[in-house]
Amino acid sequence: MVEKVILVNPIKNPKISVIIPTLNEEKYIEKTLLSIKAQTIQLPYEIIVSDGKSKDNTVKIAKKYANKIVICNKKGIAVGRNLGAKYAEGEILVFLDADTLLLPNTLEEVYKEIKKKNVALVSCPVAPSSYSPSIYFLYWFYNQFSKNSIKVGKPQVAGMFMATKKSIFNAVNGFNEKLRIIEDYDFSERVAKFGEIKIVESTFVLTSPRRIEKWGKAKGAAKYLGIYLAYLLTGKDIGWKIYKPIR
């Protein structure tokens, strides 16, 4: 696997590395990057865009805001996250999707928790960036599901936003690149062996419900449930043909 690294504006001694895997995300990436640049945290942090050879303007837009851009021929969201982490200099790794927006205090609030010795992974509630009561309910359901999965000892945290220590990331060998989907749930389960999983309630992130809007709310909910049940029963990503990866 050969990758190209573009150093745009390297940050000296960053404490946090924010990693965004991308593939043809020109519609969303600029708002996401702007939300990262607008953080209130006073610690130095770097932004890494890990791109799977986009054919649109994703990389061009990223060059305006990112500190590093990693470009690789091999596609896959697990690959993108792992490559971003490979070139990350921060002791804390924050992963988010290209269509996820942070509130100004998100990094600050998450850092307060993830820096604690006994904490292995941190996330926060997720809300849809476009509102309708039924879509909001689906995200509310995910938030409750994620919290309760932690309580029962089988944490299921979505990769649309999560933070961990680089030392722990390396200890579990990152995301499983053999999984085309559900790689985030698999990762959160493995990381849980190294400490507590926390959901920070003092902030939240906004993410695009584009798949649900494309599929329709009822069909989308059914697909997500089917994919998860298949993973729960088999431990495999056999639902990937239903949930065609876009990165």
Side-chain angles (χ1 to χ4, degrees):
M1 182 167 57
V2 179
E3 63 266 15
K4 175 183 177 183
V5 181
I6 303 171
L7 300 177
V8 183
N9 182 27
I11 299 295
K12 187 177 181 180
N13 299 322
K15 294 294 184 183
I16 302 168
S17 297
V18 183
I19 299 163
I20 312 106
T22 58
L23 180 64
N24 301 324
E25 294 284 5
E26 65 178 4
K27 183 177 178 182
Y28 299 95
I29 190 63
E30 186 161 33
K31 289 182 179 179
T32 294
L33 292 171
L34 283 169
S35 77
I36 303 169
K37 297 287 282 188
Q39 294 299 293
T40 58
I41 193 167
Q42 296 301 303
L43 296 174
Y45 60 93
E46 64 177 352
I47 302 172
I48 302 174
V49 170
S50 185
D51 189 75
K53 263 202 158 180
S54 291
K55 295 181 179 179
D56 63 1
N57 290 316
T58 297
V59 173
K60 182 179 179 181
I61 295 168
K63 286 179 179 178
K64 295 194 292 183
Y65 308 101
N67 303 109
K68 297 173 187 173
I69 301 170
V70 185
I71 301 174
C72 182
N73 291 325
K74 189 175 179 181
K75 295 176 174 58
I77 194 162
V79 173
R81 291 191 182 121
N82 287 345
L83 270 180
K86 178 180 176 180
Y87 292 95
E89 296 179 58
E91 61 189 28
I92 303 300
L93 305 181
V94 176
F95 297 96
L96 70 152
D97 287 350
D99 56 358
T100 297
L101 305 176
L102 308 186
L103 294 191
N105 73 335
T106 299
L107 289 186
E108 188 172 1
E109 295 303 308
V110 166
Y111 182 76
K112 289 176 185 177
E113 285 298 319
I114 192 61
K115 70 178 182 178
K116 296 177 181 177
K117 186 176 180 180
N118 63 323
V119 176
L121 186 75
V122 173
S123 188
C124 66
V126 180
S129 55
S130 58
Y131 178 79
S132 78
S134 53
I135 288 179
Y136 185 84
F137 172 77
L138 292 176
Y139 279 79
W140 175 87
F141 181 82
Y142 159 74
N143 290 323
Q144 299 306 309
F145 160 75
S146 188
K147 289 177 191 175
N148 285 298
S149 72
I150 295 168
K151 290 178 182 178
V152 300
K154 191 176 175 63
Q156 311 283 265
V157 179
M160 62 187 97
F161 181 80
M162 60 167 60
T164 190
K165 296 177 175 74
K166 190 174 185 181
S167 59
I168 293 177
F169 179 90
N170 291 336
V172 300
N173 296 314
F175 291 88
N176 184 350
E177 296 181 10
K178 293 180 180 179
L179 295 176
R180 288 156 289 194
I181 58 172
I182 310 290
E183 80 298 323
D184 43 6
Y185 286 179
D186 168 78
F187 179 78
S188 55
E189 284 187 54
R190 290 185 288 118
V191 163
K193 297 174 184 177
F194 291 83
E196 295 181 39
I197 311 295
K198 296 280 190 176
I199 302 295
V200 175
E201 299 285 354
S202 53
T203 189
F204 64 93
V205 297
L206 297 166
T207 196
S208 168
R210 51 179 161 170
R211 285 190 188 272
I212 296 172
E213 290 173 340
K214 181 179 179 180
W215 290 337
K217 301 174 187 71
K219 188 177 180 181
K223 281 190 175 186
Y224 278 116
L225 182 60
I227 289 165
Y228 178 67
L229 288 176
Y231 166 71
L232 194 62
L233 293 171
T234 67
K236 299 178 180 179
D237 63 346
I238 59 175
W240 74 271
K241 290 184 179 179
I242 299 173
Y243 189 91
K244 294 178 181 178
I246 58 176
R247 300 175 185 85

